[in-house]
Amino acid sequence: SFPYVYFAMYQDFANASMIGYIVMIFGTSLLAFASKYVSNFIPFIIGNLASAATSFYFLYKMSVTYGVGWYEGYFKPLTPYQLFLLVSLLNVIPQLLFIKLAKKIKKA
């Protein structure tokens, strides 16, 4: 239930670094691969939902703490919540690719 999307957005905001997004992509993709490789899809679903819930909670806390700087200024033209949804949806794509890879490796 690590808040990957929040971590990525916070690293972007605090350090102007894209490293958080890279960590998110590789971390979640490797977890999806492992989930499919051991033939247990439930952790993949629960993990994504728990990560999204904790990320959403921390995004709310950041909007309260930093106010306008976080909410209206940094992630233009999107709000942090819109970026959260976009990044969360786009992050599923590499996860699905790694799940396909796990299927191929397991069959071989």
Side-chain angles (χ1 to χ4, degrees):
S1 67
F2 184 79
Y4 282 104
V5 178
Y6 165 76
F7 174 75
M9 290 174 66
Y10 180 77
Q11 289 300 314
D12 189 8
F13 177 72
N15 303 321
S17 172
M18 300 303 278
I19 196 77
Y21 295 104
I22 294 169
V23 168
M24 175 192 62
I25 291 168
F26 284 113
T28 57
S29 296
L30 289 175
L31 289 171
F33 177 87
S35 176
K36 186 60 181 177
Y37 191 76
V38 297
S39 300
N40 196 352
F41 202 64
I42 300 293
F44 169 75
I45 295 168
I46 292 173
N48 276 324
L49 291 175
S51 178
T54 55
S55 289
F56 191 80
Y57 170 76
F58 286 120
L59 286 176
Y60 170 75
K61 288 294 196 182
M62 285 297 285
S63 67
V64 170
T65 304
Y66 287 100
V68 174
W70 171 264
Y71 191 75
E72 293 179 0
Y74 190 74
F75 299 109
K76 287 250 185 228
L78 303 174
T79 68
Y81 297 109
Q82 290 170 333
L83 184 63
F84 161 73
L85 288 174
L86 178 65
V87 170
S88 294
L89 292 174
L90 290 177
N91 189 39
V92 173
I93 295 169
Q95 290 180 44
L96 294 175
L97 293 173
F98 271 70
I99 286 173
K100 281 188 166 197
L101 178 65
K103 276 185 191 178
K104 283 184 180 181
I105 290 174
K106 196 164 184 177
K107 282 185 180 179

